[in-house]
PDB file of all heavy atoms in Angstrom:
ATOM      1  N   GLY A   1      26.980 110.354 133.227  1.00  0.00           N
ATOM      2  CA  GLY A   1      28.304 110.960 133.281  1.00  0.00           C
ATOM      3  C   GLY A   1      28.993 111.098 131.949  1.00  0.00           C
ATOM      4  O   GLY A   1      30.135 111.608 131.908  1.00  0.00           O
ATOM      5  N   MET A   2      28.407 110.643 130.851  1.00  0.00           N
ATOM      6  CA  MET A   2      29.040 110.791 129.544  1.00  0.00           C
ATOM      7  C   MET A   2      27.970 110.971 128.470  1.00  0.00           C
ATOM      8  O   MET A   2      26.791 110.748 128.705  1.00  0.00           O
ATOM      9  CB  MET A   2      29.923 109.575 129.236  1.00  0.00           C
ATOM     10  CG  MET A   2      29.177 108.286 129.057  1.00  0.00           C
ATOM     11  SD  MET A   2      30.260 106.869 128.700  1.00  0.00           S
ATOM     12  CE  MET A   2      30.923 107.338 127.122  1.00  0.00           C
ATOM     13  N   VAL A   3      28.406 111.412 127.299  1.00  0.00           N
ATOM     14  CA  VAL A   3      27.515 111.626 126.170  1.00  0.00           C
ATOM     15  C   VAL A   3      27.834 110.587 125.087  1.00  0.00           C
ATOM     16  O   VAL A   3      28.980 110.470 124.671  1.00  0.00           O
ATOM     17  CB  VAL A   3      27.663 113.055 125.590  1.00  0.00           C
ATOM     18  CG1 VAL A   3      26.772 113.222 124.366  1.00  0.00           C
ATOM     19  CG2 VAL A   3      27.320 114.102 126.637  1.00  0.00           C
ATOM     20  N   THR A   4      26.832 109.802 124.709  1.00  0.00           N
ATOM     21  CA  THR A   4      26.978 108.863 123.587  1.00  0.00           C
ATOM     22  C   THR A   4      26.183 109.409 122.410  1.00  0.00           C
ATOM     23  O   THR A   4      25.373 110.340 122.560  1.00  0.00           O
ATOM     24  CB  THR A   4      26.445 107.484 123.979  1.00  0.00           C
ATOM     25  OG1 THR A   4      25.092 107.587 124.435  1.00  0.00           O
ATOM     26  CG2 THR A   4      27.305 106.882 125.082  1.00  0.00           C
ATOM     27  N   GLN A   5      26.424 108.853 121.221  1.00  0.00           N
ATOM     28  CA  GLN A   5      25.715 109.370 120.064  1.00  0.00           C
ATOM     29  C   GLN A   5      25.393 108.282 119.058  1.00  0.00           C
ATOM     30  O   GLN A   5      26.018 107.223 119.026  1.00  0.00           O
ATOM     31  CB  GLN A   5      26.525 110.484 119.399  1.00  0.00           C
ATOM     32  CG  GLN A   5      27.815 110.036 118.727  1.00  0.00           C
ATOM     33  CD  GLN A   5      28.519 111.192 118.015  1.00  0.00           C
ATOM     34  OE1 GLN A   5      28.548 112.304 118.519  1.00  0.00           O
ATOM     35  NE2 GLN A   5      29.085 110.927 116.854  1.00  0.00           N
ATOM     36  N   PHE A   6      24.390 108.561 118.252  1.00  0.00           N
ATOM     37  CA  PHE A   6      23.959 107.672 117.182  1.00  0.00           C
ATOM     38  C   PHE A   6      23.238 108.529 116.142  1.00  0.00           C
ATOM     39  O   PHE A   6      22.527 109.467 116.502  1.00  0.00           O
ATOM     40  CB  PHE A   6      22.992 106.601 117.704  1.00  0.00           C
ATOM     41  CG  PHE A   6      22.791 105.426 116.771  1.00  0.00           C
ATOM     42  CD1 PHE A   6      23.372 104.218 117.043  1.00  0.00           C
ATOM     43  CD2 PHE A   6      22.045 105.562 115.617  1.00  0.00           C
ATOM     44  CE1 PHE A   6      23.194 103.129 116.194  1.00  0.00           C
ATOM     45  CE2 PHE A   6      21.864 104.500 114.749  1.00  0.00           C
ATOM     46  CZ  PHE A   6      22.437 103.271 115.041  1.00  0.00           C
ATOM     47  N   GLY A   7      23.439 108.218 114.880  1.00  0.00           N
ATOM     48  CA  GLY A   7      22.815 109.025 113.831  1.00  0.00           C
ATOM     49  C   GLY A   7      22.167 108.168 112.764  1.00  0.00           C
ATOM     50  O   GLY A   7      22.589 107.037 112.513  1.00  0.00           O
ATOM     51  N   PHE A   8      21.121 108.698 112.149  1.00  0.00           N
ATOM     52  CA  PHE A   8      20.498 108.034 111.017  1.00  0.00           C
ATOM     53  C   PHE A   8      19.661 109.047 110.241  1.00  0.00           C
ATOM     54  O   PHE A   8      19.439 110.174 110.707  1.00  0.00           O
ATOM     55  CB  PHE A   8      19.618 106.849 111.458  1.00  0.00           C
ATOM     56  CG  PHE A   8      18.460 107.217 112.356  1.00  0.00           C
ATOM     57  CD1 PHE A   8      17.253 107.682 111.821  1.00  0.00           C
ATOM     58  CD2 PHE A   8      18.551 107.055 113.732  1.00  0.00           C
ATOM     59  CE1 PHE A   8      16.185 108.008 112.631  1.00  0.00           C
ATOM     60  CE2 PHE A   8      17.484 107.375 114.545  1.00  0.00           C
ATOM     61  CZ  PHE A   8      16.302 107.855 114.011  1.00  0.00           C
ATOM     62  N   THR A   9      19.202 108.633 109.089  1.00  0.00           N
ATOM     63  CA  THR A   9      18.345 109.475 108.246  1.00  0.00           C
ATOM     64  C   THR A   9      17.006 108.800 108.086  1.00  0.00           C
ATOM     65  O   THR A   9      16.906 107.728 107.479  1.00  0.00           O
ATOM     66  CB  THR A   9      18.971 109.692 106.849  1.00  0.00           C
ATOM     67  OG1 THR A   9      20.272 110.278 107.009  1.00  0.00           O
ATOM     68  CG2 THR A   9      18.101 110.588 106.007  1.00  0.00           C
ATOM     69  N   PRO A  10      15.914 109.386 108.617  1.00  0.00           N
ATOM     70  CA  PRO A  10      14.584 108.795 108.440  1.00  0.00           C
ATOM     71  C   PRO A  10      14.173 108.821 106.962  1.00  0.00           C
ATOM     72  O   PRO A  10      14.407 109.809 106.266  1.00  0.00           O
ATOM     73  CB  PRO A  10      13.670 109.695 109.264  1.00  0.00           C
ATOM     74  CG  PRO A  10      14.581 110.478 110.164  1.00  0.00           C
ATOM     75  CD  PRO A  10      15.872 110.610 109.432  1.00  0.00           C
ATOM     76  N   THR A  11      13.552 107.742 106.490  1.00  0.00           N
ATOM     77  CA  THR A  11      13.178 107.655 105.074  1.00  0.00           C
ATOM     78  C   THR A  11      11.683 107.469 104.841  1.00  0.00           C
ATOM     79  O   THR A  11      11.231 107.600 103.709  1.00  0.00           O
ATOM     80  CB  THR A  11      13.916 106.479 104.395  1.00  0.00           C
ATOM     81  OG1 THR A  11      13.637 105.267 105.125  1.00  0.00           O
ATOM     82  CG2 THR A  11      15.424 106.713 104.394  1.00  0.00           C
ATOM     83  N   VAL A  12      10.938 107.159 105.893  1.00  0.00           N
ATOM     84  CA  VAL A  12       9.499 106.923 105.740  1.00  0.00           C
ATOM     85  C   VAL A  12       8.756 107.732 106.798  1.00  0.00           C
ATOM     86  O   VAL A  12       9.026 107.584 107.995  1.00  0.00           O
ATOM     87  CB  VAL A  12       9.163 105.423 105.893  1.00  0.00           C
ATOM     88  CG1 VAL A  12       7.658 105.181 105.654  1.00  0.00           C
ATOM     89  CG2 VAL A  12       9.993 104.565 104.950  1.00  0.00           C
ATOM     90  N   THR A  13       7.827 108.569 106.375  1.00  0.00           N
ATOM     91  CA  THR A  13       7.056 109.363 107.325  1.00  0.00           C
ATOM     92  C   THR A  13       6.102 108.455 108.105  1.00  0.00           C
ATOM     93  O   THR A  13       5.806 107.320 107.702  1.00  0.00           O
ATOM     94  CB  THR A  13       6.248 110.460 106.638  1.00  0.00           C
ATOM     95  OG1 THR A  13       5.229 109.862 105.816  1.00  0.00           O
ATOM     96  CG2 THR A  13       7.143 111.337 105.783  1.00  0.00           C
ATOM     97  N   THR A  14       5.600 108.978 109.202  1.00  0.00           N
ATOM     98  CA  THR A  14       4.644 108.225 110.025  1.00  0.00           C
ATOM     99  C   THR A  14       3.401 107.886 109.210  1.00  0.00           C
ATOM    100  O   THR A  14       2.900 106.747 109.262  1.00  0.00           O
ATOM    101  CB  THR A  14       4.250 109.029 111.266  1.00  0.00           C
ATOM    102  OG1 THR A  14       5.426 109.289 112.039  1.00  0.00           O
ATOM    103  CG2 THR A  14       3.249 108.271 112.120  1.00  0.00           C
ATOM    104  N   GLU A  15       2.899 108.850 108.444  1.00  0.00           N
ATOM    105  CA  GLU A  15       1.696 108.616 107.642  1.00  0.00           C
ATOM    106  C   GLU A  15       1.939 107.569 106.555  1.00  0.00           C
ATOM    107  O   GLU A  15       1.078 106.721 106.289  1.00  0.00           O
ATOM    108  CB  GLU A  15       1.215 109.928 107.002  1.00  0.00           C
ATOM    109  CG  GLU A  15       0.604 110.902 107.993  1.00  0.00           C
ATOM    110  CD  GLU A  15      -0.608 110.305 108.715  1.00  0.00           C
ATOM    111  OE1 GLU A  15      -1.396 109.562 108.078  1.00  0.00           O
ATOM    112  OE2 GLU A  15      -0.767 110.578 109.920  1.00  0.00           O
ATOM    113  N   GLU A  16       3.106 107.598 105.940  1.00  0.00           N
ATOM    114  CA  GLU A  16       3.432 106.596 104.908  1.00  0.00           C
ATOM    115  C   GLU A  16       3.517 105.195 105.510  1.00  0.00           C
ATOM    116  O   GLU A  16       3.061 104.217 104.911  1.00  0.00           O
ATOM    117  CB  GLU A  16       4.749 106.964 104.223  1.00  0.00           C
ATOM    118  CG  GLU A  16       4.657 108.182 103.327  1.00  0.00           C
ATOM    119  CD  GLU A  16       6.016 108.642 102.825  1.00  0.00           C
ATOM    120  OE1 GLU A  16       7.033 108.231 103.413  1.00  0.00           O
ATOM    121  OE2 GLU A  16       6.048 109.424 101.839  1.00  0.00           O
ATOM    122  N   MET A  17       4.106 105.087 106.697  1.00  0.00           N
ATOM    123  CA  MET A  17       4.215 103.788 107.346  1.00  0.00           C
ATOM    124  C   MET A  17       2.839 103.242 107.722  1.00  0.00           C
ATOM    125  O   MET A  17       2.573 102.044 107.630  1.00  0.00           O
ATOM    126  CB  MET A  17       5.108 103.897 108.575  1.00  0.00           C
ATOM    127  CG  MET A  17       5.399 102.559 109.252  1.00  0.00           C
ATOM    128  SD  MET A  17       6.284 101.370 108.215  1.00  0.00           S
ATOM    129  CE  MET A  17       7.956 102.018 108.301  1.00  0.00           C
ATOM    130  N   ARG A  18       1.937 104.145 108.137  1.00  0.00           N
ATOM    131  CA  ARG A  18       0.600 103.716 108.508  1.00  0.00           C
ATOM    132  C   ARG A  18      -0.188 103.143 107.321  1.00  0.00           C
ATOM    133  O   ARG A  18      -1.135 102.384 107.517  1.00  0.00           O
ATOM    134  CB  ARG A  18      -0.183 104.883 109.105  1.00  0.00           C
ATOM    135  CG  ARG A  18       0.262 105.282 110.505  1.00  0.00           C
ATOM    136  CD  ARG A  18      -0.432 106.542 110.973  1.00  0.00           C
ATOM    137  NE  ARG A  18      -0.029 106.914 112.323  1.00  0.00           N
ATOM    138  CZ  ARG A  18      -0.347 108.054 112.921  1.00  0.00           C
ATOM    139  NH1 ARG A  18      -1.074 108.970 112.253  1.00  0.00           N
ATOM    140  NH2 ARG A  18       0.044 108.313 114.151  1.00  0.00           N
ATOM    141  N   GLN A  19       0.204 103.498 106.104  1.00  0.00           N
ATOM    142  CA  GLN A  19      -0.503 103.035 104.917  1.00  0.00           C
ATOM    143  C   GLN A  19       0.021 101.703 104.376  1.00  0.00           C
ATOM    144  O   GLN A  19      -0.553 101.149 103.451  1.00  0.00           O
ATOM    145  CB  GLN A  19      -0.409 104.103 103.818  1.00  0.00           C
ATOM    146  CG  GLN A  19      -1.010 105.451 104.189  1.00  0.00           C
ATOM    147  CD  GLN A  19      -2.438 105.346 104.689  1.00  0.00           C
ATOM    148  OE1 GLN A  19      -3.257 104.667 104.082  1.00  0.00           O
ATOM    149  NE2 GLN A  19      -2.733 106.011 105.796  1.00  0.00           N
ATOM    150  N   LYS A  20       1.120 101.190 104.957  1.00  0.00           N
ATOM    151  CA  LYS A  20       1.661  99.915 104.498  1.00  0.00           C
ATOM    152  C   LYS A  20       0.740  98.775 104.933  1.00  0.00           C
ATOM    153  O   LYS A  20       0.215  98.769 106.043  1.00  0.00           O
ATOM    154  CB  LYS A  20       3.076  99.696 105.036  1.00  0.00           C
ATOM    155  CG  LYS A  20       4.087 100.693 104.445  1.00  0.00           C
ATOM    156  CD  LYS A  20       5.504 100.267 104.725  1.00  0.00           C
ATOM    157  CE  LYS A  20       6.494 101.158 104.007  1.00  0.00           C
ATOM    158  NZ  LYS A  20       7.881 100.710 104.145  1.00  0.00           N
ATOM    159  N   GLN A  21       0.572  97.800 104.028  1.00  0.00           N
ATOM    160  CA  GLN A  21      -0.423  96.775 104.231  1.00  0.00           C
ATOM    161  C   GLN A  21      -0.189  95.956 105.499  1.00  0.00           C
ATOM    162  O   GLN A  21      -1.126  95.677 106.261  1.00  0.00           O
ATOM    163  CB  GLN A  21      -0.460  95.827 103.014  1.00  0.00           C
ATOM    164  CG  GLN A  21      -1.572  94.799 103.060  1.00  0.00           C
ATOM    165  CD  GLN A  21      -2.957  95.406 103.173  1.00  0.00           C
ATOM    166  OE1 GLN A  21      -3.226  96.470 102.563  1.00  0.00           O
ATOM    167  NE2 GLN A  21      -3.832  94.800 103.960  1.00  0.00           N
ATOM    168  N   ASP A  22       1.066  95.577 105.752  1.00  0.00           N
ATOM    169  CA  ASP A  22       1.310  94.762 106.956  1.00  0.00           C
ATOM    170  C   ASP A  22       1.096  95.558 108.234  1.00  0.00           C
ATOM    171  O   ASP A  22       0.670  95.009 109.246  1.00  0.00           O
ATOM    172  CB  ASP A  22       2.710  94.152 106.930  1.00  0.00           C
ATOM    173  CG  ASP A  22       3.784  95.169 106.622  1.00  0.00           C
ATOM    174  OD1 ASP A  22       3.432  96.294 106.225  1.00  0.00           O
ATOM    175  OD2 ASP A  22       4.973  94.855 106.779  1.00  0.00           O
ATOM    176  N   ILE A  23       1.348  96.873 108.185  1.00  0.00           N
ATOM    177  CA  ILE A  23       1.070  97.710 109.359  1.00  0.00           C
ATOM    178  C   ILE A  23      -0.442  97.829 109.556  1.00  0.00           C
ATOM    179  O   ILE A  23      -0.937  97.775 110.693  1.00  0.00           O
ATOM    180  CB  ILE A  23       1.705  99.106 109.197  1.00  0.00           C
ATOM    181  CG1 ILE A  23       3.235  98.976 109.167  1.00  0.00           C
ATOM    182  CG2 ILE A  23       1.269 100.023 110.338  1.00  0.00           C
ATOM    183  CD1 ILE A  23       3.853  98.450 110.449  1.00  0.00           C
ATOM    184  N   ILE A  24      -1.188  97.980 108.454  1.00  0.00           N
ATOM    185  CA  ILE A  24      -2.648  98.039 108.545  1.00  0.00           C
ATOM    186  C   ILE A  24      -3.202  96.774 109.182  1.00  0.00           C
ATOM    187  O   ILE A  24      -4.059  96.804 110.067  1.00  0.00           O
ATOM    188  CB  ILE A  24      -3.270  98.257 107.146  1.00  0.00           C
ATOM    189  CG1 ILE A  24      -2.893  99.663 106.617  1.00  0.00           C
ATOM    190  CG2 ILE A  24      -4.787  98.094 107.188  1.00  0.00           C
ATOM    191  CD1 ILE A  24      -3.344  99.913 105.187  1.00  0.00           C
ATOM    192  N   GLU A  25      -2.693  95.614 108.745  1.00  0.00           N
ATOM    193  CA  GLU A  25      -3.150  94.342 109.290  1.00  0.00           C
ATOM    194  C   GLU A  25      -2.790  94.211 110.767  1.00  0.00           C
ATOM    195  O   GLU A  25      -3.572  93.694 111.565  1.00  0.00           O
ATOM    196  CB  GLU A  25      -2.544  93.190 108.488  1.00  0.00           C
ATOM    197  CG  GLU A  25      -3.060  93.109 107.052  1.00  0.00           C
ATOM    198  CD  GLU A  25      -2.345  92.052 106.229  1.00  0.00           C
ATOM    199  OE1 GLU A  25      -1.423  91.392 106.779  1.00  0.00           O
ATOM    200  OE2 GLU A  25      -2.700  91.881 105.048  1.00  0.00           O
ATOM    201  N   LYS A  26      -1.590  94.676 111.119  1.00  0.00           N
ATOM    202  CA  LYS A  26      -1.155  94.628 112.517  1.00  0.00           C
ATOM    203  C   LYS A  26      -2.070  95.488 113.383  1.00  0.00           C
ATOM    204  O   LYS A  26      -2.509  95.053 114.465  1.00  0.00           O
ATOM    205  CB  LYS A  26       0.283  95.113 112.647  1.00  0.00           C
ATOM    206  CG  LYS A  26       0.784  95.223 114.066  1.00  0.00           C
ATOM    207  CD  LYS A  26       2.192  95.780 114.114  1.00  0.00           C
ATOM    208  CE  LYS A  26       2.665  95.976 115.554  1.00  0.00           C
ATOM    209  NZ  LYS A  26       4.016  96.567 115.618  1.00  0.00           N
ATOM    210  N   VAL A  27      -2.395  96.685 112.926  1.00  0.00           N
ATOM    211  CA  VAL A  27      -3.261  97.592 113.686  1.00  0.00           C
ATOM    212  C   VAL A  27      -4.647  96.987 113.839  1.00  0.00           C
ATOM    213  O   VAL A  27      -5.257  97.041 114.918  1.00  0.00           O
ATOM    214  CB  VAL A  27      -3.330  98.968 112.990  1.00  0.00           C
ATOM    215  CG1 VAL A  27      -4.402  99.854 113.642  1.00  0.00           C
ATOM    216  CG2 VAL A  27      -1.981  99.676 113.062  1.00  0.00           C
ATOM    217  N   GLN A  28      -5.169  96.389 112.767  1.00  0.00           N
ATOM    218  CA  GLN A  28      -6.492  95.768 112.832  1.00  0.00           C
ATOM    219  C   GLN A  28      -6.503  94.611 113.832  1.00  0.00           C
ATOM    220  O   GLN A  28      -7.463  94.469 114.598  1.00  0.00           O
ATOM    221  CB  GLN A  28      -6.882  95.252 111.444  1.00  0.00           C
ATOM    222  CG  GLN A  28      -7.202  96.369 110.453  1.00  0.00           C
ATOM    223  CD  GLN A  28      -7.455  95.833 109.054  1.00  0.00           C
ATOM    224  OE1 GLN A  28      -7.139  94.692 108.726  1.00  0.00           O
ATOM    225  NE2 GLN A  28      -8.042  96.676 108.190  1.00  0.00           N
ATOM    226  N   ASN A  29      -5.449  93.830 113.850  1.00  0.00           N
ATOM    227  CA  ASN A  29      -5.360  92.700 114.780  1.00  0.00           C
ATOM    228  C   ASN A  29      -5.312  93.183 116.223  1.00  0.00           C
ATOM    229  O   ASN A  29      -5.996  92.637 117.099  1.00  0.00           O
ATOM    230  CB  ASN A  29      -4.120  91.864 114.462  1.00  0.00           C
ATOM    231  CG  ASN A  29      -3.999  90.642 115.345  1.00  0.00           C
ATOM    232  OD1 ASN A  29      -4.954  89.885 115.503  1.00  0.00           O
ATOM    233  ND2 ASN A  29      -2.846  90.464 115.960  1.00  0.00           N
ATOM    234  N   ILE A  30      -4.506  94.226 116.473  1.00  0.00           N
ATOM    235  CA  ILE A  30      -4.411  94.768 117.833  1.00  0.00           C
ATOM    236  C   ILE A  30      -5.749  95.346 118.272  1.00  0.00           C
ATOM    237  O   ILE A  30      -6.194  95.127 119.419  1.00  0.00           O
ATOM    238  CB  ILE A  30      -3.302  95.844 117.896  1.00  0.00           C
ATOM    239  CG1 ILE A  30      -1.925  95.192 117.703  1.00  0.00           C
ATOM    240  CG2 ILE A  30      -3.354  96.581 119.239  1.00  0.00           C
ATOM    241  CD1 ILE A  30      -0.791  96.174 117.617  1.00  0.00           C
ATOM    242  N   ASN A  31      -6.421  96.077 117.382  1.00  0.00           N
ATOM    243  CA  ASN A  31      -7.694  96.686 117.750  1.00  0.00           C
ATOM    244  C   ASN A  31      -8.780  95.640 117.974  1.00  0.00           C
ATOM    245  O   ASN A  31      -9.687  95.839 118.796  1.00  0.00           O
ATOM    246  CB  ASN A  31      -8.122  97.681 116.675  1.00  0.00           C
ATOM    247  CG  ASN A  31      -7.394  99.011 116.797  1.00  0.00           C
ATOM    248  OD1 ASN A  31      -7.064  99.425 117.906  1.00  0.00           O
ATOM    249  ND2 ASN A  31      -7.142  99.663 115.696  1.00  0.00           N
ATOM    250  N   GLN A  32      -8.682  94.510 117.260  1.00  0.00           N
ATOM    251  CA  GLN A  32      -9.638  93.428 117.508  1.00  0.00           C
ATOM    252  C   GLN A  32      -9.458  92.856 118.908  1.00  0.00           C
ATOM    253  O   GLN A  32     -10.429  92.583 119.620  1.00  0.00           O
ATOM    254  CB  GLN A  32      -9.456  92.322 116.458  1.00  0.00           C
ATOM    255  CG  GLN A  32     -10.466  91.201 116.585  1.00  0.00           C
ATOM    256  CD  GLN A  32     -10.313  90.162 115.480  1.00  0.00           C
ATOM    257  OE1 GLN A  32      -9.485  90.316 114.590  1.00  0.00           O
ATOM    258  NE2 GLN A  32     -11.073  89.092 115.572  1.00  0.00           N
ATOM    259  N   ILE A  33      -8.195  92.687 119.298  1.00  0.00           N
ATOM    260  CA  ILE A  33      -7.901  92.201 120.664  1.00  0.00           C
ATOM    261  C   ILE A  33      -8.379  93.210 121.696  1.00  0.00           C
ATOM    262  O   ILE A  33      -8.970  92.847 122.726  1.00  0.00           O
ATOM    263  CB  ILE A  33      -6.386  91.932 120.804  1.00  0.00           C
ATOM    264  CG1 ILE A  33      -5.951  90.807 119.862  1.00  0.00           C
ATOM    265  CG2 ILE A  33      -6.035  91.598 122.251  1.00  0.00           C
ATOM    266  CD1 ILE A  33      -4.454  90.595 119.816  1.00  0.00           C
TER     267      ILE A  33
END
């Protein structure tokens, strides 16, 4: 019944985030499981 709002500016692309070391380690851990 109403409209709410929120705004932000993205600063890191999906591909750039995938190349971060801690994200790489997280993905490897999940894939091992």
Side-chain angles (χ1 to χ4, degrees):
M2 66 181 295
V3 177
T4 55
Q5 68 177 39
F6 196 106
F8 62 83
T9 302
T11 56
V12 183
T13 67
T14 300
E15 288 301 323
E16 289 171 342
M17 185 62 77
R18 287 173 179 171
Q19 300 307 313
K20 293 193 174 186
Q21 186 58 37
D22 50 349
I23 295 296
I24 293 174
E25 293 174 359
K26 175 183 176 182
V27 171
Q28 290 174 345
N29 183 51
I30 292 174
N31 281 328
Q32 184 177 356
I33 296 172

